Amino acid sequence: MLMLAATTGAAQTKREVLKARIDSALQAKYNKVNYDTVFLSRPNARVTLKLRGNVSGNLLKTKGKYKGMDTRSKLTTDTKATLSIGVNYQGLAAGIAINPSKLKGRNNDYELNVNAYSNRYNIDATYQMSKTLSGDIRMGDNSYHVDKGFLKTRMFYLTGNYTFNYKRFSYPAAFSQTYIQKRSAGSWLAGFSLEGGTMNTTDEVPEGTPELRFGVGNFAIGGGYGYNLVVKDKWLFHLSAMPMLVVFKTDKVTLDGERQKMPTNFPEMILNERMAIVYNISPKYFLGLTGVANNTLFESRSRSIRQSKWQTKLFLGIRL
């Protein structure tokens, strides 16, 4: 019995030591000052809790020719709304989201978002699976209505950027609130965007509907500018845009068994846009709104493709 108690006590001591070391490492990293304290500061709290309402959607518009016929399409997914709760402990964040429509069986779309924000580097990754893409396709004199369930899409988006003026300008101040922007500042940005995925018809399409498979693969690099405007020490307004040039592309279309590689027409662009409004009610409470859009723009005399992925978040936070 004494040996068991001693072993249990030793195990608890090891866990406590490990926990203390991890906490100390997180605290040291969180409180490290590698920025201009006139422009930026850390919140005077170790834990941040946020309640968020998220709304997102996807749009696809195309125009071109197939076998001599003019073709047009406009397809959209259902607007997806979720509620989420997030916690950030000294820069280490986690969260969980609930989709009310999915719980009621009205929406089977799935989306996973991973974000990592620091003053110097920022990464956004999104995986989306949807069967609610619907709309109209016109091929020559024939029109087809695409109902929900006729098309299944799987898409992955990865966007990253480097902030040059990271000692005075903070992305986290606008998007994760792990920093506070004390004075207005802007920065030039450099970054990349990666898109990949497929869109294909399902077994639910009616007879006579063309069988479609669209494969997407694009990699783009570019740069832009972002600005944080501070008003009366409580309001923060953020705007940024990063146009990027597609340098690698593997888009392919298979229609009724005939496969075609999409031609490349210079320039082809991906545009990443962001906005945010944050209001610090007090040092403890804050609320705000953020928006992110990723637009793929392929234009030529014979065809055009526009794909837009967007997401907005309304949030209320408390620092403890």
Side-chain angles (χ1 to χ4, degrees):
M1 182 68 71
L2 291 176
M3 290 180 63
L4 179 61
T7 302
T8 302
Q12 289 177 341
T13 301
K14 289 181 179 180
R15 286 196 295 268
E16 291 171 356
V17 170
L18 179 60
K19 181 180 177 182
R21 287 179 177 176
I22 293 174
D23 186 71
S24 178
L26 288 174
Q27 187 172 3
K29 184 178 179 180
Y30 186 77
N31 293 326
K32 183 179 179 180
V33 179
N34 57 355
Y35 49 85
D36 189 334
T37 56
V38 174
F39 286 82
L40 302 175
S41 68
R42 282 288 199 181
N44 188 23
R46 301 175 72 180
V47 179
T48 301
L49 299 175
K50 285 198 291 187
L51 177 65
R52 295 180 294 234
N54 315 292
V55 182
S56 62
N58 211 328
L59 165 70
L60 176 64
K61 293 180 69 174
T62 67
K63 181 176 66 174
K65 286 185 177 293
Y66 176 73
K67 293 183 177 181
M69 296 183 295
D70 291 329
T71 64
R72 292 176 179 268
S73 69
K74 182 179 180 181
L75 305 169
T76 59
T77 61
D78 280 355
T79 299
K80 184 167 68 68
T82 63
L83 296 174
S84 64
I85 298 175
V87 57
N88 188 300
Y89 178 70
Q90 298 189 132
L92 190 63
I96 184 172
I98 299 173
N99 186 339
S101 297
K102 192 176 183 68
L103 294 176
K104 295 178 181 180
R106 295 200 302 263
N107 189 321
N108 292 318
D109 288 1
Y110 173 82
E111 186 172 312
L112 175 66
N113 293 281
V114 178
N115 315 105
Y117 297 127
S118 71
N119 286 339
R120 188 180 297 194
Y121 303 103
N122 302 282
I123 294 288
D124 286 293
T126 300
Y127 174 76
Q128 181 187 49
M129 192 282 290
S130 173
K131 292 186 71 175
T132 64
L133 196 66
S134 63
D136 296 293
I137 298 176
R138 184 176 182 84
M139 300 177 63
D141 295 328
N142 299 315
S143 296
Y144 305 91
H145 180 71
V146 180
D147 288 329
K148 298 175 187 178
F150 287 5
L151 290 171
K152 183 174 183 178
T153 60
R154 297 184 181 92
M155 289 297 299
F156 175 74
Y157 303 89
L158 177 65
T159 299
N161 67 56
Y162 176 82
T163 304
F164 288 94
N165 190 22
Y166 63 89
K167 291 184 180 294
R168 295 185 174 184
F169 169 84
S170 175
Y171 253 113
F175 291 95
S176 64
Q177 292 75 54
T178 53
Y179 282 85
I180 295 175
Q181 188 83 42
K182 296 161 65 176
R183 290 191 179 183
S184 301
S187 177
W188 292 104
L189 311 166
F192 71 91
S193 184
L194 174 67
E195 298 178 347
T198 60
M199 179 178 68
N200 57 275
T201 50
T202 67
D203 295 335
E204 299 179 29
V205 297
E207 292 186 10
T209 303
E211 183 181 346
L212 170 70
R213 180 177 175 84
F214 181 36
V216 178
N218 302 303
F219 180 74
I221 57 175
Y225 192 80
Y227 194 79
N228 283 346
L229 174 66
V230 178
V231 179
K232 295 183 179 179
D233 297 327
K234 287 185 175 292
W235 289 95
L236 171 63
F237 298 90
H238 169 93
L239 281 177
S240 62
M242 220 172 33
M244 290 170 278
L245 181 67
V246 175
V247 295
F248 181 76
K249 174 182 172 183
T250 61
D251 292 2
K252 295 180 178 67
V253 175
T254 302
L255 192 59
D256 282 337
E258 182 177 337
R259 186 174 181 180
Q260 295 182 341
K261 185 175 181 179
M262 300 292 288
T264 299
N265 296 280
F266 183 85
E268 296 183 338
M269 306 294 295
I270 295 177
L271 178 61
N272 183 262
E273 305 155 297
R274 298 168 183 262
M275 60 77 62
I277 302 173
V278 181
Y279 178 64
N280 291 291
I281 303 170
S282 70
K284 188 174 183 179
Y285 298 100
F286 60 91
L287 56 84
L289 173 71
T290 63
V292 177
N294 205 61
N295 299 295
T296 304
L297 307 171
F298 296 164
E299 296 283 346
S300 72
R301 292 182 180 179
S302 60
R303 69 182 181 94
S304 70
I305 298 176
R306 178 190 170 193
Q307 183 179 0
S308 298
K309 173 72 176 68
W310 59 271
Q311 183 183 65
T312 61
K313 297 181 180 180
L314 180 66
F315 58 86
L316 174 65
I318 179 173
R319 299 183 176 104
L320 303 173

